[in-house]
Amino acid sequence: MAVPTVDRQELDANAGPGGGGVSIGLASKLLAIGGAFLVLALASIGLTLWVTWQLEGGAAAVNEAGRMRMRSYQLALILQLAPGDGAPALPDIERRLRDFDASIELLRTGDPGRPLAVPWDADTRGRFQGVSAEWGVLRQQALDIGHGAAASVALRVQVDDFVGKIDAFVTAIERHLSQWTTLLRTFQQAMMALAVMSALTMLYAGHVVILEPVARLQRALRRVEQGDFSARVQVNTRDELGVLAAGFNSMAQNLEALYGQLESKVREKTAGLEVKQARLSALYEVAAFVAGAETLEVLAQGFARQIRRIAGADAVAIRWSDEANARYVLLASDCLPEVMAREERCVLTGSCLCGAKVEAGMTPKIKVIPIQVSLRNQALHAEGQAVRDHCDRAGYTTLVTVPLGMHARVLGEIELFFRGEPHFSEEERGLFEVLANHLAGAMESLRASAMSRESAVAGERQLLAQELHDSIAQSLAFLKIQMQLLRDAMSRGDESAVQTSMSELDAGVLESYSDVRELLLHFRVRTNEENMEPALRETLTKFEHQSGLLSHLTMDAQGLPLPADVQIQVLHIVQEALSNVRKHSRASQAWVEVQTQPVWCVTVRDDGRGFDTQSGPPNDTHVGLRIMNERAKRVGATLRFESNEEGTLVELRLPNLTAEPTQIEAT
């Protein structure tokens, strides 16, 4: 059952509320949701990294400030030492002061590579300025001491103030870092909440966008599987699932419509199949009948009954046309009124609706002819008027003519008479044409078979006449001559000549009697299409019974079998050769040898007295040899004779059986 396809554009236009509009695909929706979550995640991660970087930079600044505090105490201790106690030289003090300057500058500018950065705000900036100012005072005192001034108590106080400034600066940084740490924890908690919300949102979106529409489709599909074709899917989107839902709805609608008409269609198809089965059955019955019909009368009459039953006609007539298509002869009929069958046995072409004239080169077709309308519109002579009266009295209103043709030649027609207005489909017309072709082929086959039998009978008669002429006719001619000699001897009163003639007549009658028996025996021998050995053995058995001589058969049966017509000719040649052995050779034995490979070769030989092949055989033997030569030529074979005082040999060699028949005839 074919389900109509659904166009994608049509589904996009019909899916979702409001129809029309721009369709957002399922992949686009998933991509938008995933992109939004990705941007949010990247932003959160970037902010976290920035806060972490700030914390790391502030921690490095605290460390650097702690180093300054430690170096401050070291500088104070060094400056308080007396020159004899290992006080540092001026270059060492300047180096230490430069390290302090570098640290102050590092805190002011920061170092992104470490990272090191002071989290500047108003408090840290003020504290750093205090550290810088205090360092300026302390630095000057250190330089003065380095140039020879004595250390004083004020240096210790100044270092303590400087360290206090540093501690205040570190405290400001730590307070600022504490705020960043609190912010980082807040971000992390927000990210955890965001992850949970993202997962829930993705699950919800997946459920709403994908799982729920798919679940609807599955539920609707199960309903359809259970036979509920009224199931529909409501998906208010214009994405792929909306297209799929619209396609499912369209399919379910078509299935519902098709299922609603299924029973009627099944009944219709069943009825159609029954009709086709009936036609095939009718065709088979007619074909089997026409193939088994043995006579034309049986064939035509049986076909008339069957075609009337198949066509539902009220009567049927089958007419056969002559070569010139000048007349149509009634060959058989069924349920045809007796007056029509008797008076319309032969209808001239064109004299009635039956037996229409077929123009040369035209292919006749089945015709449905309303009888009354056609007769009113057609001028008919007296015979046509009589035919019309016959149809009127019988109550026929419609005539259907089916032509009988074979090889572009019209052989006749089948006439179906109806008391009503039949309506035939093209299939029924085709059935009538096929049945008509079967009938025409069967008729032609019977005609060809009859002609073949007639030709075979004529051939047998000609062969019999030839045999009689070449055998018995010769003996009768001899007897006629002896009768004339007998009359002459009796008229002269020559008793010796009378006795001689009587002896010759007696011998001639016996010879003729033997020839007749031999012919009868020969014509009774039958060949086997597969193997001719039984026919040869039967021939030799009859030869022994007739002549009293011993015979021997040697046969190689490994080659191809001979056709039936060739076997007949070979068998007659062997019989004629054995007849010559019986009549003229005075032999004690005869041999027949048959070789089938590579070609057929049949040899007949005896141990008799033979004859001179140069001067030729006796007259009656010469006739027999001529008959054998004629038979050999019919099958394209060759004959060879050998004869001496030890016996005679006759060899028949046939052509190669694989050659074409035209080649054999040419040979």
Side-chain angles (χ1 to χ4, degrees):
M1 183 182 297
V3 178
T5 58
V6 181
D7 185 69
R8 173 63 183 266
Q9 295 179 354
E10 179 183 351
L11 293 179
D12 289 343
N14 295 331
V22 179
S23 175
I24 301 177
L26 182 62
S28 301
K29 291 181 179 180
L30 295 177
L31 183 61
I33 295 173
F37 282 114
L38 178 62
V39 170
L40 185 60
L42 291 176
S44 300
I45 294 172
L47 182 60
T48 303
L49 290 175
W50 182 78
V51 173
T52 304
W53 187 85
Q54 293 292 332
L55 291 174
E56 290 179 357
V62 170
N63 290 334
E64 189 65 28
R67 289 176 61 193
M68 290 175 59
R69 181 170 51 192
M70 181 185 64
R71 289 175 181 175
S72 299
Y73 286 118
Q74 290 177 353
L75 181 62
L77 289 175
I78 290 172
L79 292 176
Q80 288 178 359
L81 292 176
D85 295 333
L90 181 61
D92 185 32
I93 295 174
E94 291 178 350
R95 180 180 61 79
R96 290 178 181 272
L97 294 178
R98 285 196 299 271
D99 290 340
F100 265 95
D101 292 337
S103 296
I104 294 296
E105 185 64 24
L106 179 62
L107 290 174
R108 179 181 291 112
T109 59
D111 185 5
R114 295 182 57 175
L116 186 149
V118 177
W120 300 110
D121 56 10
D123 188 20
T124 56
R125 195 172 297 279
R127 299 292 182 181
F128 182 75
Q129 290 177 357
V131 171
S132 297
E134 192 67 28
W135 167 246
V137 176
L138 181 61
R139 187 176 188 283
Q140 186 61 43
Q141 289 182 1
L143 286 174
D144 292 341
I145 294 173
H147 286 88
S152 62
V153 179
L155 177 63
R156 179 67 181 177
V157 175
Q158 192 68 36
V159 170
D160 290 338
D161 292 340
F162 179 69
V163 171
K165 298 289 185 183
I166 292 175
D167 290 339
F169 177 64
V170 170
T171 301
I173 293 176
E174 289 177 349
R175 187 167 50 252
H176 196 89
L177 292 180
S178 177
Q179 295 176 358
W180 282 112
T181 302
T182 303
L183 181 62
L184 178 61
R185 292 195 185 97
T186 303
F187 281 153
Q188 289 175 343
Q189 293 173 358
M191 289 180 63
M192 292 177 62
L194 179 63
V196 174
M197 292 298 296
S198 299
L200 294 177
T201 303
M202 288 291 292
L203 290 176
Y204 178 75
H207 176 75
V208 172
V209 176
I210 299 176
L211 297 180
E212 179 60 25
V214 171
R216 295 178 194 171
L217 284 171
Q218 290 178 341
R219 290 193 295 270
L221 183 60
R222 283 194 294 270
R223 291 176 59 188
V224 171
E225 289 176 351
Q226 295 171 1
D228 183 9
F229 298 109
S230 62
R232 297 293 184 270
V233 180
Q234 298 296 330
V235 178
N236 299 323
T237 59
R238 293 191 295 273
D239 54 13
E240 286 82 354
L241 290 175
V243 174
L244 183 61
F248 177 85
N249 293 336
S250 178
M251 180 192 70
Q253 182 178 0
N254 290 326
L255 286 176
E256 185 177 13
L258 291 175
Y259 187 77
Q261 302 174 0
L262 184 61
E263 292 186 358
S264 61
K265 289 187 176 181
V266 168
R267 287 194 297 270
E268 180 182 351
K269 291 295 183 181
T270 302
L273 289 176
E274 291 177 352
V275 171
K276 290 182 179 179
Q277 182 180 3
R279 292 171 184 167
L280 289 175
S281 177
L283 183 60
Y284 173 78
E285 292 178 2
V286 172
F289 170 75
V290 299
E294 297 181 354
T295 63
L296 185 61
E297 291 76 11
V298 173
L299 172 65
Q301 193 61 42
F303 185 87
R305 287 194 298 269
Q306 294 199 11
I307 194 65
R308 188 184 68 82
R309 176 179 57 83
I310 294 171
D314 296 296
V316 173
I318 299 177
R319 299 185 184 275
W320 196 252
S321 178
D322 57 0
E323 291 286 342
N325 193 225
R327 58 180 58 84
Y328 284 82
V329 179
L330 184 64
L331 189 61
S333 63
D334 187 55
C335 294
L336 193 69
E338 183 178 355
V339 62
M340 294 181 66
R342 182 178 64 254
E343 297 186 9
E344 299 178 19
R345 186 166 298 276
C346 180
V347 177
L348 296 179
T349 300
S351 63
C352 182
L353 300 178
C354 304
K357 179 66 176 178
V358 178
E359 300 295 336
M362 298 295 293
T363 301
K365 299 292 184 181
I366 296 179
K367 296 180 181 179
V368 179
I369 306 171
I371 295 177
Q372 298 297 330
V373 175
S374 299
L375 290 177
R376 282 197 302 268
N377 298 334
Q378 181 178 346
L380 301 176
H381 48 69
E383 183 179 355
Q385 183 65 38
V387 172
R388 185 185 66 180
D389 293 341
H390 294 159
C391 292
D392 287 341
R393 286 194 295 270
Y396 300 135
T397 58
T398 305
L399 170 65
V400 178
T401 61
V402 183
L404 289 172
M406 179 67 66
H407 304 303
R409 186 172 69 87
V410 177
L411 304 179
E413 69 178 15
I414 302 172
E415 300 161 1
L416 307 174
F417 296 90
F418 295 88
R419 295 185 178 93
E421 297 180 359
H423 298 282
F424 299 113
S425 64
E426 291 298 327
E427 293 181 354
E428 291 173 328
R429 291 172 180 261
L431 176 63
F432 294 158
E433 290 179 352
V434 172
L435 295 177
N437 290 336
H438 275 289
L439 177 60
M443 287 182 171
E444 283 294 296
S445 178
L446 290 175
R447 187 179 68 86
S449 178
M451 293 179 63
S452 177
R453 289 195 299 271
E454 182 180 352
S455 176
V457 171
E460 290 292 335
R461 288 178 177 177
Q462 182 178 1
L463 179 61
L464 179 60
Q466 182 179 2
E467 294 284 353
L468 292 174
H469 177 269
D470 293 338
S471 57
I472 299 177
Q474 302 291 333
S475 299
L476 293 178
F478 172 75
L479 292 176
K480 182 178 180 181
I481 295 173
Q482 293 300 322
M483 286 295 296
Q484 185 62 39
L485 294 176
L486 178 61
R487 290 192 186 96
D488 293 342
M490 291 178 66
S491 63
R492 295 194 310 270
D494 188 351
E495 186 65 25
S496 175
V498 169
Q499 292 299 324
T500 301
S501 298
M502 291 294 291
S503 298
E504 293 291 340
L505 286 172
D506 186 53
V509 170
L510 290 176
E511 183 69 22
S512 297
Y513 177 71
S514 298
D515 288 340
V516 170
R517 287 181 58 83
E518 186 174 2
L519 285 175
L520 292 176
L521 291 175
H522 288 178
F523 284 122
R524 288 175 182 174
V525 175
R526 294 291 182 265
T527 60
N528 188 314
E529 186 175 352
E530 294 296 331
N531 185 9
M532 67 179 299
E533 183 177 357
L536 288 173
R537 292 195 180 278
E538 183 180 357
T539 298
L540 290 177
T541 300
K542 293 177 180 180
F543 168 75
E544 290 180 350
H545 177 73
Q546 189 177 14
S547 64
L549 303 179
L550 291 177
S551 62
H552 309 277
L553 175 63
T554 303
M555 185 169 183
D556 173 20
Q558 301 300 319
L560 293 174
L562 291 176
D565 56 340
V566 178
Q567 288 188 28
I568 290 292
Q569 300 301 331
V570 172
L571 190 60
H572 280 299
I573 291 173
V574 172
Q575 291 170 350
E576 187 63 35
L578 293 175
S579 178
N580 289 336
V581 172
R582 177 183 62 82
K583 292 179 181 179
H584 309 293
S585 67
R586 298 181 183 178
S588 61
Q589 297 183 79
W591 290 266
V592 177
E593 299 173 354
V594 180
Q595 177 185 348
T596 61
Q597 289 183 337
V599 295
W600 275 73
C601 181
V602 182
T603 303
V604 181
R605 59 185 179 88
D606 60 72
D607 58 355
R609 61 181 180 177
F611 61 91
D612 186 2
T613 57
Q614 299 296 327
S615 59
N619 289 336
D620 49 358
T621 305
H622 178 73
V623 172
L625 296 181
R626 179 169 59 82
I627 294 174
M628 287 192 288
N629 276 311
E630 290 177 354
R631 291 186 181 277
K633 290 180 180 179
R634 292 178 186 174
V635 294
T638 57
L639 272 176
R640 184 174 65 87
F641 300 95
E642 291 182 4
S643 184
N644 52 39
E645 64 275 4
E646 296 180 357
T648 302
L649 179 143
V650 179
E651 181 187 80
L652 173 67
R653 185 173 294 274
L654 278 76
N656 192 347
L657 292 179
T658 59
E660 295 293 332
T662 54
Q663 296 175 347
I664 295 177
E665 294 176 1
T667 303

